[in-house]
Amino acid sequence: MEEVKIKVYHKEEKVTTTLYVQRISENKFRMTDNDFCNPKLTLGTEFETKINGDGIHEVKKITKESEFITRRFGLTPNNKESDYRMLGEELTKRGGFWQVDLGSIATVNIPKDFEFDIDQVIKDLDLKLVEITE
């Protein structure tokens, strides 16, 4: 499937983001990472767009929800990047995804059949993560 770069206008936030997505059809796409501005557009989510008056995509509807459990955390400066990287690598090895935006916000995509309790892993690694909820 072809990966393309599209601009998507998020009406609620009044912001345009650039996303790398897989093109399914002319106006249907699948997310290959997470949109920082739209918490509904996460890894694996499929959606349809329409082109607005400025020639930019706007999400018309989500056609398939992500199969991942998605959570966002604020990273604290108390931990070293290597601590977070270890968690991210373990997650990736088991089919998940880890993304950091603005240097301090981690979005984690956890497979539904993930063998570990992510909260317990965070506790065991003594990471001081603050979950961001909408």
Side-chain angles (χ1 to χ4, degrees):
M1 204 173 294
E2 176 190 17
E3 186 169 74
V4 296
K5 181 169 78 170
I6 62 172
K7 289 187 183 292
V8 176
Y9 180 69
H10 184 48
K11 276 195 268 197
E12 290 80 16
E13 298 293 328
K14 295 180 177 36
V15 66
T16 300
T17 55
T18 300
L19 305 175
Y20 287 91
V21 295
Q22 291 176 323
R23 181 184 298 275
I24 297 170
S25 66
E26 184 61 33
N27 68 333
K28 190 172 178 186
F29 304 93
R30 178 181 299 123
M31 293 294 296
T32 58
D33 59 7
N34 302 287
D35 182 358
F36 180 70
C37 293
N38 186 341
K40 292 180 179 140
L41 295 181
T42 61
L43 179 68
T45 299
E46 294 180 7
F47 60 99
E48 287 182 11
T49 66
K50 64 177 182 179
I51 302 296
N52 67 17
D54 295 324
I56 297 172
H57 292 269
E58 280 187 31
V59 176
K60 196 164 72 175
K61 70 178 179 177
I62 291 179
T63 57
K64 182 181 175 193
E65 298 282 333
S66 173
E67 294 182 6
F68 292 90
I69 298 163
T70 301
R71 295 174 63 187
R72 286 190 167 86
F73 298 94
L75 304 178
T76 63
N78 304 347
N79 291 96
K80 298 185 294 299
E81 185 183 331
S82 58
D83 296 335
Y84 299 126
R85 190 177 304 123
M86 186 170 72
L87 176 60
E89 287 171 358
E90 284 304 310
L91 191 61
T92 303
K93 270 195 257 182
R94 291 169 170 77
F97 186 72
W98 172 270
Q99 168 183 332
V100 177
D101 293 297
L102 305 176
S104 63
I105 298 175
T107 302
V108 182
N109 303 103
I110 307 159
K112 289 196 168 129
D113 62 353
F114 193 57
E115 60 197 273
F116 299 107
D117 175 346
I118 195 77
D119 294 311
Q120 188 61 49
V121 171
I122 289 168
K123 187 177 174 194
D124 290 348
L125 291 173
D126 197 30
L127 298 176
K128 306 290 188 238
L129 299 177
V130 178
E131 186 154 14
I132 300 167
T133 57
E134 272 84 43

